[in-house]
Amino acid sequence: MLLLALDTATPAVTVALHDGTSVLASSNQVDARRHGELLLPAVDRVLAEAGTRLDAVTGVVVGVGPGPYTGLRVGLMTADTFGLALGVPVHGLCTLDALAYEAAGTDLGGPFVVATDARRKEVYWARYEDPRTRVTEPAVDRPADLAEAVAGLPAVGAGAALYPDAFPDVRGPEHVSAAALAALAAERLAAGAELLPPRPLYLRRPDAQVPKNYKVVTPK
């Protein structure tokens, strides 16, 4: 097994290579506006660091979000392209699940919440019983509306860090890493679990909309 993992559902542009046992190489850069510019060079760096070639990859893992439309589609389209070019399977994984899995090294001590920045003064979030077990579906909400659902729970993720009134107990990490994404995917595949299809989990419509009631101009 040689999994190429990537995620662009958050401001992090993150890539990793996993051999089914451990992470061979990884790259993490945080820049919400340069996903398309940074992703492929990151893939090249990871392959070079691992001393291997793209055609040695046996599977691709991609974070399906939830995340903003523009950034998320960069990773998904890249993963689909690699899968088609290499003739290998492309597996999807919830980005929040990977962030929860990465939080296993922190002292959470029980149930917790993962929250990423959804912009528009909202967060993408889900509740977890432990780093491997999500107990609610991913959702998008205003932090002020989550008081009852997250009361008393520690929180992980940059979305939580933005709203201390709603999430007073914030732990690391802030952003997802492809290393965690790959490790979780490898663990689930080894257990015979079926991963998600590589399709975007948007949860809401794109920010860019076609104007309503716009005037159609036709030639005379």
Side-chain angles (χ1 to χ4, degrees), residues 134-208:
R134 176 161 41 85
V135 294
T136 65
E137 290 299 314
V140 58
D141 289 290
R142 289 183 176 272
D145 297 334
L146 300 177
E148 184 176 346
V150 304
L153 297 178
V156 171
L162 288 172
Y163 303 99
D165 289 344
F167 305 99
D169 183 8
V170 179
R171 316 286 178 89
E174 286 194 2
H175 300 293
V176 69
S177 75
L181 189 82
L184 179 57
E187 184 178 293
R188 290 182 175 177
L189 288 170
E194 184 174 346
L195 301 187
L196 298 174
R199 296 295 174 263
L201 184 61
Y202 289 130
L203 300 186
R204 70 182 183 203
R205 295 179 63 82
D207 291 336

Side-chain angles (χ1 to χ4, degrees), residues 2-71:
L2 190 61
L3 294 176
L4 176 66
L6 50 95
D7 194 300
T8 58
T10 73
V13 180
T14 178
V15 179
L17 199 65
H18 196 287
D19 66 0
T21 301
S22 61
V23 175
L24 302 179
S26 63
S27 170
N28 300 285
Q29 298 167 277
V30 177
D31 192 328
R33 298 181 180 275
R34 299 174 64 207
H35 291 93
E37 179 182 345
L38 297 175
L39 183 56
L40 290 180
V43 171
D44 287 341
R45 283 197 306 275
V46 165
L47 291 170
E49 183 180 337
T52 190
R53 295 164 51 93
L54 183 61
D55 57 12
V57 167
T58 61
V60 181
V61 181
V62 61
V64 300
Y69 177 80
T70 303

Side-chain angles (χ1 to χ4, degrees), residues 55-131:
D55 57 12
V57 167
T58 61
V60 181
V61 181
V62 61
V64 300
Y69 177 80
T70 303
L72 183 54
R73 66 178 179 174
V74 171
L76 286 163
M77 290 301 296
T78 301
D80 275 343
T81 300
F82 283 154
L84 287 171
L86 299 172
V88 301
V90 181
H91 308 285
L93 198 65
C94 176
T95 298
L96 300 180
D97 289 357
L99 192 48
Y101 185 81
E102 190 170 6
T106 62
D107 184 20
L108 292 168
F112 64 99
V113 176
V114 173
T116 61
D117 184 16
R119 305 174 186 170
R120 302 186 193 175
K121 297 182 179 180
E122 294 178 328
V123 293
Y124 297 116
W125 71 283
R127 179 170 171 162
Y128 291 78
E129 185 63 30
D130 58 59

